[in-house]
Amino acid sequence: MTRRGISRSKVRYAVVGLGHIAQVAVLPAFSNAANSELFALVSGNSDKLEKVGKKYALEHLYSYEDYSRALSNVDAVYLALPNHLHREYAVRAAAAGVHVLCEKPMAVTSEECQAMVEAARQNHVKLMIAYRLHLEAGNLEAIRAARSGKLGELRVFASEFSQQVAEGNVRVTEPIVRGGGPVYDMGVYCINASRYLFGSEPTEVFAVTANHGDKRFQRVEEMTSVVMRFPEERLATFTCSFGAAGIARYSLIGTKGVLRSDPAYEYAMAIKQQITRDDKTKTRTFPKRDQFAAELVYFSDCILKNKEPEPSGLEGLADVKIVEAIYESARTRRVVRIPELPGKKRPTLSQEIHRPAHGKPEVIHAKPPSRDAA
């Protein structure tokens, strides 16, 4: 509960940032989340703010300069801002007694993540990082299969996640020190999946980057490949790229079987999964659903019932510590030990929430990240 308490059955939210993901996924999700109310919008673009506000019949519209006023009228914020702004807006919300649901990556540095965790703790508010796949049936089923022994002893995780990012998109115009680049944007999915499938934390990492000279990649690398060592001599590898055809898949290989998910990380299409064992393959498709509504329902339930969310600030902190180690390895061309990561809960099958998919909304003054979709 916040300092002023919530006597209603719905949690009032301000969505902060009206970029593409906010407009195509976050805002429409409120219609599928009965315990969550879209109450306010915050944006630095006054024209976009007015038009999106009118679309959703909202009266509470605020500029970034008026963020404090917005906080005085809501119970929670959904932060859909550029990565380098997450810490500031999360800490300010927590100081105002407002709960925080923050897009991933949690922040740019582990110090920023720790400041967010501490602000939430000191002000007795909930902090959740928007790992939507922790609530999605296909990925939770993969966790179940991994834990069941069906695949035997787990040995290898391998993943590829890529897209052709549009020139001028914030993902390539912001440098790595401000959270730009493919590791912060796409690599965190691969890192997080390896951690929840292996059910443990990596101990060391080796990474290399590549750039073929495309003018889009003057401030960030085109792609990064990573090898992570996990306890019990298990290895996870992944490549994330802003300059290759779109793909989003992973494989989990054990001593007795293989699980493949392709696509694995998407929110705009069905998740598909194959398990092969004893030369027999079973295929399942998990229909497209509203993964963002599931996040809202889950987080609002945590607020209303005073429960700690599973994808907590500690989950976000763990991934960012690994990202820092990846870039240190790429820079030094050496294996880097990963500092001990905080203990935390892991996703469980009971977290699965199914909300029906919505149509494709009209987007106002915001472009998709993919060049192919631009």
Side-chain angles (χ1 to χ4, degrees), residues 262-313:
D262 181 9
Y265 307 123
E266 301 288 356
Y267 66 84
M269 60 183 69
I271 301 294
K272 296 182 179 180
Q273 186 181 105
Q274 286 185 338
I275 295 180
T276 300
R277 176 176 166 153
D278 299 327
D279 297 323
K280 296 179 180 179
T281 299
K282 292 184 177 180
T283 301
R284 291 186 65 181
T285 297
F286 300 87
K288 175 185 173 183
R289 57 189 65 195
D290 191 337
Q291 297 177 13
F292 291 81
E295 287 182 326
L296 292 170
V297 169
Y298 178 80
F299 189 53
S300 293
D301 189 60
C302 288
I303 294 170
L304 294 168
K305 297 180 181 178
N306 194 26
K307 300 186 298 183
E308 287 303 312
E310 177 277 310
S312 66

Short mmCIF file of all heavy atoms in Angstrom, two decimals, residues 262-313:
data_model
loop_
_atom_site.label_atom_id
_atom_site.label_comp_id
_atom_site.label_asym_id
_atom_site.label_seq_id
_atom_site.Cartn_x
_atom_site.Cartn_y
_atom_site.Cartn_z
N ASP A 262 10.50 -21.17 -30.63
CA ASP A 262 10.71 -20.28 -31.78
C ASP A 262 9.36 -19.95 -32.42
O ASP A 262 8.76 -20.81 -33.05
CB ASP A 262 11.62 -20.96 -32.80
CG ASP A 262 11.93 -20.09 -34.01
OD1 ASP A 262 11.57 -18.89 -33.99
OD2 ASP A 262 12.51 -20.60 -34.99
N PRO A 263 8.89 -18.68 -32.22
CA PRO A 263 9.51 -17.60 -31.46
C PRO A 263 9.35 -17.81 -29.96
O PRO A 263 8.41 -18.48 -29.51
CB PRO A 263 8.75 -16.36 -31.92
CG PRO A 263 7.40 -16.87 -32.30
CD PRO A 263 7.62 -18.24 -32.87
N ALA A 264 10.27 -17.22 -29.21
CA ALA A 264 10.28 -17.40 -27.77
C ALA A 264 9.97 -16.14 -27.00
O ALA A 264 9.40 -16.20 -25.91
CB ALA A 264 11.66 -17.93 -27.33
N TYR A 265 10.38 -14.98 -27.53
CA TYR A 265 10.35 -13.75 -26.75
C TYR A 265 9.29 -12.75 -27.19
O TYR A 265 9.16 -11.69 -26.59
CB TYR A 265 11.72 -13.05 -26.84
CG TYR A 265 12.91 -13.90 -26.50
CD1 TYR A 265 13.95 -14.08 -27.41
CD2 TYR A 265 13.02 -14.52 -25.26
CE1 TYR A 265 15.07 -14.84 -27.09
CE2 TYR A 265 14.13 -15.28 -24.93
CZ TYR A 265 15.15 -15.45 -25.86
OH TYR A 265 16.25 -16.20 -25.54
N GLU A 266 8.53 -13.06 -28.21
CA GLU A 266 7.64 -12.08 -28.82
C GLU A 266 6.36 -11.86 -28.01
O GLU A 266 5.91 -12.75 -27.27
CB GLU A 266 7.26 -12.51 -30.24
CG GLU A 266 8.45 -12.70 -31.18
CD GLU A 266 9.09 -11.39 -31.58
OE1 GLU A 266 8.58 -10.33 -31.19
OE2 GLU A 266 10.11 -11.42 -32.29
N TYR A 267 5.77 -10.68 -28.18
CA TYR A 267 4.46 -10.42 -27.57
C TYR A 267 3.37 -10.25 -28.63
O TYR A 267 2.19 -10.23 -28.29
CB TYR A 267 4.50 -9.19 -26.66
CG TYR A 267 4.75 -7.86 -27.37
CD1 TYR A 267 3.71 -7.14 -27.94
CD2 TYR A 267 6.03 -7.33 -27.44
CE1 TYR A 267 3.94 -5.93 -28.57
CE2 TYR A 267 6.27 -6.12 -28.08
CZ TYR A 267 5.22 -5.43 -28.64
OH TYR A 267 5.45 -4.24 -29.28
N ALA A 268 3.76 -10.10 -29.90
CA ALA A 268 2.79 -9.83 -30.95
C ALA A 268 2.44 -11.06 -31.77
O ALA A 268 1.80 -10.97 -32.81
CB ALA A 268 3.31 -8.74 -31.87
N MET A 269 2.85 -12.24 -31.31
CA MET A 269 2.53 -13.47 -32.03
C MET A 269 2.53 -14.64 -31.06
O MET A 269 2.93 -14.50 -29.90
CB MET A 269 3.53 -13.72 -33.17
CG MET A 269 4.97 -13.86 -32.72
SD MET A 269 6.13 -14.05 -34.10
CE MET A 269 6.04 -12.42 -34.84
N ALA A 270 2.10 -15.80 -31.56
CA ALA A 270 2.06 -17.00 -30.72
C ALA A 270 3.47 -17.46 -30.38
O ALA A 270 4.41 -17.26 -31.15
CB ALA A 270 1.30 -18.11 -31.45
N ILE A 271 3.61 -18.10 -29.21
CA ILE A 271 4.86 -18.72 -28.81
C ILE A 271 4.79 -20.20 -29.20
O ILE A 271 3.80 -20.88 -28.89
CB ILE A 271 5.07 -18.60 -27.28
CG1 ILE A 271 5.09 -17.12 -26.85
CG2 ILE A 271 6.34 -19.32 -26.85
CD1 ILE A 271 6.24 -16.32 -27.36
N LYS A 272 5.83 -20.69 -29.88
CA LYS A 272 5.83 -22.08 -30.33
C LYS A 272 6.96 -22.85 -29.67
O LYS A 272 8.05 -22.32 -29.48
CB LYS A 272 5.95 -22.14 -31.85
CG LYS A 272 4.77 -21.51 -32.58
CD LYS A 272 4.89 -21.64 -34.08
CE LYS A 272 3.68 -21.01 -34.78
NZ LYS A 272 3.77 -21.13 -36.26
N GLN A 273 6.69 -24.11 -29.34
CA GLN A 273 7.64 -24.90 -28.58
C GLN A 273 7.67 -26.34 -29.08
O GLN A 273 6.63 -26.93 -29.38
CB GLN A 273 7.25 -24.86 -27.10
CG GLN A 273 8.20 -25.52 -26.15
CD GLN A 273 7.66 -25.43 -24.73
OE1 GLN A 273 7.18 -26.42 -24.18
NE2 GLN A 273 7.69 -24.24 -24.15
N GLN A 274 8.87 -26.90 -29.17
CA GLN A 274 9.06 -28.31 -29.53
C GLN A 274 9.92 -28.98 -28.47
O GLN A 274 10.91 -28.41 -28.01
CB GLN A 274 9.78 -28.45 -30.87
CG GLN A 274 8.94 -28.13 -32.09
CD GLN A 274 9.71 -28.43 -33.37
OE1 GLN A 274 10.94 -28.48 -33.38
NE2 GLN A 274 8.99 -28.65 -34.45
N ILE A 275 9.54 -30.18 -28.08
CA ILE A 275 10.38 -31.00 -27.20
C ILE A 275 10.66 -32.31 -27.92
O ILE A 275 9.74 -33.01 -28.35
CB ILE A 275 9.70 -31.27 -25.85
CG1 ILE A 275 9.53 -29.96 -25.08
CG2 ILE A 275 10.52 -32.27 -25.03
CD1 ILE A 275 8.87 -30.12 -23.72
N THR A 276 11.95 -32.60 -28.09
CA THR A 276 12.38 -33.83 -28.77
C THR A 276 13.10 -34.72 -27.78
O THR A 276 14.04 -34.29 -27.11
CB THR A 276 13.31 -33.51 -29.94
OG1 THR A 276 12.62 -32.67 -30.88
CG2 THR A 276 13.76 -34.79 -30.65
N ARG A 277 12.63 -35.98 -27.69
CA ARG A 277 13.25 -36.97 -26.82
C ARG A 277 12.99 -38.35 -27.41
O ARG A 277 11.88 -38.62 -27.88
CB ARG A 277 12.69 -36.88 -25.40
CG ARG A 277 13.23 -37.95 -24.48
CD ARG A 277 12.76 -37.79 -23.07
NE ARG A 277 13.03 -39.01 -22.32
CZ ARG A 277 13.23 -39.06 -21.00
NH1 ARG A 277 13.18 -37.95 -20.29
NH2 ARG A 277 13.46 -40.21 -20.40
N ASP A 278 14.00 -39.20 -27.42
CA ASP A 278 13.89 -40.55 -27.96
C ASP A 278 13.38 -40.52 -29.40
O ASP A 278 12.51 -41.33 -29.79
CB ASP A 278 12.96 -41.41 -27.09
CG ASP A 278 13.46 -41.55 -25.66
OD1 ASP A 278 14.69 -41.58 -25.47
OD2 ASP A 278 12.61 -41.61 -24.75
N ASP A 279 13.91 -39.56 -30.17
CA ASP A 279 13.55 -39.42 -31.59
C ASP A 279 12.08 -39.09 -31.82
O ASP A 279 11.57 -39.24 -32.94
CB ASP A 279 13.92 -40.69 -32.38
CG ASP A 279 15.41 -40.96 -32.38
OD1 ASP A 279 16.18 -39.97 -32.45
OD2 ASP A 279 15.81 -42.13 -32.32
N LYS A 280 11.40 -38.66 -30.78
CA LYS A 280 10.01 -38.26 -30.91
C LYS A 280 9.90 -36.77 -30.57
O LYS A 280 10.46 -36.32 -29.58
CB LYS A 280 9.11 -39.09 -30.00
CG LYS A 280 9.08 -40.57 -30.34
CD LYS A 280 8.17 -41.33 -29.39
CE LYS A 280 8.15 -42.82 -29.72
NZ LYS A 280 7.29 -43.59 -28.77
N THR A 281 9.16 -36.05 -31.39
CA THR A 281 9.00 -34.61 -31.20
C THR A 281 7.54 -34.26 -30.94
O THR A 281 6.66 -34.67 -31.71
CB THR A 281 9.52 -33.82 -32.42
OG1 THR A 281 10.90 -34.08 -32.59
CG2 THR A 281 9.31 -32.32 -32.23
N LYS A 282 7.32 -33.50 -29.88
CA LYS A 282 5.99 -32.98 -29.59
C LYS A 282 6.02 -31.47 -29.74
O LYS A 282 6.93 -30.81 -29.24
CB LYS A 282 5.55 -33.37 -28.18
CG LYS A 282 5.31 -34.87 -28.00
CD LYS A 282 4.78 -35.17 -26.60
CE LYS A 282 4.48 -36.66 -26.45
NZ LYS A 282 3.96 -36.98 -25.09
N THR A 283 5.02 -30.93 -30.42
CA THR A 283 4.97 -29.50 -30.68
C THR A 283 3.75 -28.89 -30.01
O THR A 283 2.65 -29.48 -30.05
CB THR A 283 4.91 -29.22 -32.20
OG1 THR A 283 6.07 -29.79 -32.82
CG2 THR A 283 4.87 -27.73 -32.48
N ARG A 284 3.94 -27.73 -29.38
CA ARG A 284 2.83 -27.00 -28.77
C ARG A 284 2.88 -25.55 -29.23
O ARG A 284 3.97 -24.97 -29.42
CB ARG A 284 2.90 -27.04 -27.25
CG ARG A 284 2.64 -28.40 -26.64
CD ARG A 284 2.59 -28.31 -25.12
NE ARG A 284 1.45 -27.52 -24.66
CZ ARG A 284 1.19 -27.27 -23.38
NH1 ARG A 284 2.01 -27.72 -22.45
NH2 ARG A 284 0.14 -26.55 -23.03
N THR A 285 1.70 -24.97 -29.39
CA THR A 285 1.60 -23.55 -29.71
C THR A 285 0.79 -22.87 -28.62
O THR A 285 -0.30 -23.33 -28.25
CB THR A 285 0.89 -23.35 -31.07
OG1 THR A 285 1.69 -23.95 -32.10
CG2 THR A 285 0.75 -21.85 -31.38
N PHE A 286 1.34 -21.78 -28.11
CA PHE A 286 0.69 -21.00 -27.07
C PHE A 286 0.18 -19.72 -27.73
O PHE A 286 0.99 -18.87 -28.13
CB PHE A 286 1.67 -20.69 -25.94
CG PHE A 286 2.22 -21.94 -25.29
CD1 PHE A 286 3.33 -22.57 -25.82
CD2 PHE A 286 1.60 -22.50 -24.19
CE1 PHE A 286 3.84 -23.73 -25.25
CE2 PHE A 286 2.09 -23.65 -23.60
CZ PHE A 286 3.22 -24.27 -24.13
N PRO A 287 -1.13 -19.60 -27.89
CA PRO A 287 -1.68 -18.50 -28.71
C PRO A 287 -1.25 -17.13 -28.22
O PRO A 287 -0.97 -16.92 -27.03
CB PRO A 287 -3.19 -18.69 -28.55
CG PRO A 287 -3.37 -20.12 -28.18
CD PRO A 287 -2.18 -20.47 -27.35
N LYS A 288 -1.20 -16.21 -29.16
CA LYS A 288 -0.93 -14.81 -28.81
C LYS A 288 -1.90 -14.35 -27.74
O LYS A 288 -3.09 -14.65 -27.79
CB LYS A 288 -1.09 -13.94 -30.06
CG LYS A 288 -0.95 -12.45 -29.81
CD LYS A 288 -1.24 -11.66 -31.08
CE LYS A 288 -1.27 -10.17 -30.80
NZ LYS A 288 -1.61 -9.38 -32.00
N ARG A 289 -1.38 -13.63 -26.76
CA ARG A 289 -2.21 -13.12 -25.68
C ARG A 289 -1.70 -11.75 -25.29
O ARG A 289 -0.66 -11.30 -25.76
CB ARG A 289 -2.17 -14.07 -24.49
CG ARG A 289 -0.75 -14.33 -23.96
CD ARG A 289 -0.73 -15.44 -22.94
NE ARG A 289 -1.11 -16.71 -23.53
CZ ARG A 289 -1.45 -17.78 -22.82
NH1 ARG A 289 -1.49 -17.72 -21.51
NH2 ARG A 289 -1.77 -18.90 -23.42
N ASP A 290 -2.43 -11.08 -24.43
CA ASP A 290 -2.04 -9.75 -23.98
C ASP A 290 -1.10 -9.89 -22.79
O ASP A 290 -1.53 -9.97 -21.64
CB ASP A 290 -3.28 -8.93 -23.60
CG ASP A 290 -2.96 -7.46 -23.38
OD1 ASP A 290 -1.79 -7.15 -23.09
OD2 ASP A 290 -3.89 -6.63 -23.50
N GLN A 291 0.19 -9.94 -23.07
CA GLN A 291 1.18 -10.14 -22.02
C GLN A 291 1.30 -8.92 -21.11
O GLN A 291 1.68 -9.05 -19.94
CB GLN A 291 2.54 -10.46 -22.64
CG GLN A 291 2.55 -11.76 -23.44
CD GLN A 291 3.88 -12.02 -24.10
OE1 GLN A 291 4.88 -11.37 -23.80
NE2 GLN A 291 3.91 -12.97 -25.02
N PHE A 292 0.98 -7.74 -21.61
CA PHE A 292 1.09 -6.52 -20.82
C PHE A 292 -0.09 -6.40 -19.85
O PHE A 292 0.08 -5.91 -18.73
CB PHE A 292 1.20 -5.30 -21.72
CG PHE A 292 2.51 -5.25 -22.46
CD1 PHE A 292 2.71 -6.01 -23.60
CD2 PHE A 292 3.55 -4.46 -22.00
CE1 PHE A 292 3.92 -5.98 -24.28
CE2 PHE A 292 4.76 -4.42 -22.66
CZ PHE A 292 4.95 -5.19 -23.80
N ALA A 293 -1.26 -6.85 -20.26
CA ALA A 293 -2.39 -6.88 -19.33
C ALA A 293 -2.09 -7.83 -18.18
O ALA A 293 -2.42 -7.55 -17.02
CB ALA A 293 -3.66 -7.31 -20.06
N ALA A 294 -1.44 -8.95 -18.49
CA ALA A 294 -1.07 -9.90 -17.44
C ALA A 294 -0.15 -9.23 -16.42
O ALA A 294 -0.30 -9.43 -15.20
CB ALA A 294 -0.40 -11.12 -18.04
N GLU A 295 0.80 -8.43 -16.89
CA GLU A 295 1.69 -7.70 -15.98
C GLU A 295 0.91 -6.77 -15.07
O GLU A 295 1.15 -6.71 -13.85
CB GLU A 295 2.70 -6.87 -16.77
CG GLU A 295 3.79 -7.65 -17.43
CD GLU A 295 4.77 -6.74 -18.15
OE1 GLU A 295 4.36 -5.69 -18.68
OE2 GLU A 295 5.96 -7.08 -18.18
N LEU A 296 -0.01 -6.02 -15.65
CA LEU A 296 -0.80 -5.08 -14.87
C LEU A 296 -1.64 -5.81 -13.83
O LEU A 296 -1.70 -5.40 -12.66
CB LEU A 296 -1.69 -4.25 -15.79
CG LEU A 296 -0.98 -3.26 -16.72
CD1 LEU A 296 -1.97 -2.70 -17.73
CD2 LEU A 296 -0.34 -2.13 -15.91
N VAL A 297 -2.30 -6.87 -14.24
CA VAL A 297 -3.14 -7.64 -13.31
C VAL A 297 -2.29 -8.16 -12.15
O VAL A 297 -2.67 -8.06 -10.98
CB VAL A 297 -3.82 -8.82 -14.04
CG1 VAL A 297 -4.46 -9.79 -13.05
CG2 VAL A 297 -4.86 -8.30 -15.02
N TYR A 298 -1.13 -8.71 -12.48
CA TYR A 298 -0.26 -9.29 -11.46
C TYR A 298 0.26 -8.23 -10.49
O TYR A 298 0.20 -8.39 -9.27
CB TYR A 298 0.90 -10.02 -12.13
CG TYR A 298 1.89 -10.63 -11.17
CD1 TYR A 298 1.64 -11.85 -10.55
CD2 TYR A 298 3.09 -9.98 -10.88
CE1 TYR A 298 2.55 -12.41 -9.67
CE2 TYR A 298 4.01 -10.53 -10.00
CZ TYR A 298 3.74 -11.75 -9.40
OH TYR A 298 4.64 -12.29 -8.52
N PHE A 299 0.77 -7.12 -11.05
CA PHE A 299 1.34 -6.08 -10.20
C PHE A 299 0.28 -5.42 -9.33
O PHE A 299 0.49 -5.18 -8.14
CB PHE A 299 2.06 -5.04 -11.04
CG PHE A 299 2.86 -4.05 -10.23
CD1 PHE A 299 3.80 -4.47 -9.32
CD2 PHE A 299 2.67 -2.69 -10.40
CE1 PHE A 299 4.55 -3.56 -8.57
CE2 PHE A 299 3.41 -1.76 -9.67
CZ PHE A 299 4.34 -2.21 -8.74
N SER A 300 -0.88 -5.14 -9.91
CA SER A 300 -1.96 -4.54 -9.13
C SER A 300 -2.40 -5.47 -8.00
O SER A 300 -2.71 -5.03 -6.89
CB SER A 300 -3.14 -4.19 -10.02
OG SER A 300 -2.80 -3.15 -10.91
N ASP A 301 -2.43 -6.77 -8.28
CA ASP A 301 -2.79 -7.73 -7.24
C ASP A 301 -1.76 -7.71 -6.11
O ASP A 301 -2.12 -7.80 -4.93
CB ASP A 301 -2.88 -9.13 -7.85
CG ASP A 301 -3.46 -10.15 -6.89
OD1 ASP A 301 -4.61 -9.96 -6.45
OD2 ASP A 301 -2.76 -11.13 -6.58
N CYS A 302 -0.48 -7.58 -6.47
CA CYS A 302 0.57 -7.48 -5.44
C CYS A 302 0.35 -6.24 -4.57
O CYS A 302 0.53 -6.28 -3.35
CB CYS A 302 1.94 -7.42 -6.10
SG CYS A 302 2.49 -8.99 -6.82
N ILE A 303 -0.04 -5.13 -5.20
CA ILE A 303 -0.27 -3.89 -4.45
C ILE A 303 -1.49 -4.03 -3.54
O ILE A 303 -1.43 -3.72 -2.34
CB ILE A 303 -0.46 -2.71 -5.42
CG1 ILE A 303 0.85 -2.43 -6.19
CG2 ILE A 303 -0.92 -1.46 -4.68
CD1 ILE A 303 0.69 -1.46 -7.33
N LEU A 304 -2.59 -4.51 -4.10
CA LEU A 304 -3.85 -4.58 -3.35
C LEU A 304 -3.80 -5.59 -2.22
O LEU A 304 -4.46 -5.41 -1.19
CB LEU A 304 -5.00 -4.91 -4.31
CG LEU A 304 -5.31 -3.83 -5.35
CD1 LEU A 304 -6.24 -4.38 -6.42
CD2 LEU A 304 -5.91 -2.60 -4.68
N LYS A 305 -2.99 -6.65 -2.39
CA LYS A 305 -2.93 -7.71 -1.39
C LYS A 305 -1.61 -7.69 -0.62
O LYS A 305 -1.33 -8.61 0.15
CB LYS A 305 -3.14 -9.07 -2.05
CG LYS A 305 -4.52 -9.21 -2.68
CD LYS A 305 -4.70 -10.57 -3.34
CE LYS A 305 -6.08 -10.68 -3.99
NZ LYS A 305 -6.26 -11.99 -4.66
N ASN A 306 -0.81 -6.66 -0.85
CA ASN A 306 0.47 -6.48 -0.15
C ASN A 306 1.37 -7.70 -0.30
O ASN A 306 1.88 -8.27 0.68
CB ASN A 306 0.24 -6.17 1.33
CG ASN A 306 1.51 -5.64 2.00
OD1 ASN A 306 2.38 -5.07 1.35
ND2 ASN A 306 1.63 -5.84 3.30
N LYS A 307 1.59 -8.12 -1.54
CA LYS A 307 2.48 -9.24 -1.85
C LYS A 307 3.69 -8.70 -2.61
O LYS A 307 3.59 -7.72 -3.35
CB LYS A 307 1.75 -10.28 -2.71
CG LYS A 307 0.53 -10.88 -2.06
CD LYS A 307 -0.06 -12.01 -2.91
CE LYS A 307 -0.52 -11.53 -4.28
NZ LYS A 307 -1.16 -12.61 -5.07
N GLU A 308 4.82 -9.38 -2.46
CA GLU A 308 6.02 -8.98 -3.17
C GLU A 308 6.00 -9.57 -4.58
O GLU A 308 5.83 -10.78 -4.73
CB GLU A 308 7.27 -9.42 -2.42
CG GLU A 308 7.55 -8.62 -1.18
CD GLU A 308 7.68 -7.13 -1.49
OE1 GLU A 308 8.41 -6.76 -2.44
OE2 GLU A 308 7.04 -6.32 -0.79
N PRO A 309 6.18 -8.77 -5.61
CA PRO A 309 6.21 -9.30 -6.98
C PRO A 309 7.43 -10.17 -7.21
O PRO A 309 8.50 -9.90 -6.67
CB PRO A 309 6.23 -8.04 -7.85
CG PRO A 309 6.79 -6.98 -6.97
CD PRO A 309 6.34 -7.30 -5.58
N GLU A 310 7.28 -11.23 -8.00
CA GLU A 310 8.42 -12.11 -8.27
C GLU A 310 9.47 -11.45 -9.15
O GLU A 310 10.66 -11.48 -8.81
CB GLU A 310 7.93 -13.43 -8.88
CG GLU A 310 9.06 -14.38 -9.27
CD GLU A 310 9.66 -14.07 -10.63
OE1 GLU A 310 8.91 -13.91 -11.59
OE2 GLU A 310 10.91 -13.96 -10.71
N PRO A 311 9.12 -10.88 -10.32
CA PRO A 311 10.19 -10.19 -11.05
C PRO A 311 10.46 -8.84 -10.38
O PRO A 311 9.99 -7.80 -10.81
CB PRO A 311 9.63 -10.05 -12.47
CG PRO A 311 8.16 -10.13 -12.34
CD PRO A 311 7.85 -10.84 -11.05
N SER A 312 11.18 -8.92 -9.27
CA SER A 312 11.40 -7.76 -8.42
C SER A 312 12.57 -6.93 -8.91
O SER A 312 13.20 -7.24 -9.93
CB SER A 312 11.68 -8.23 -6.99
OG SER A 312 12.91 -8.94 -6.96
N GLY A 313 12.90 -5.90 -8.15
CA GLY A 313 14.08 -5.12 -8.46
C GLY A 313 15.35 -5.94 -8.41
O GLY A 313 16.29 -5.68 -9.16
#
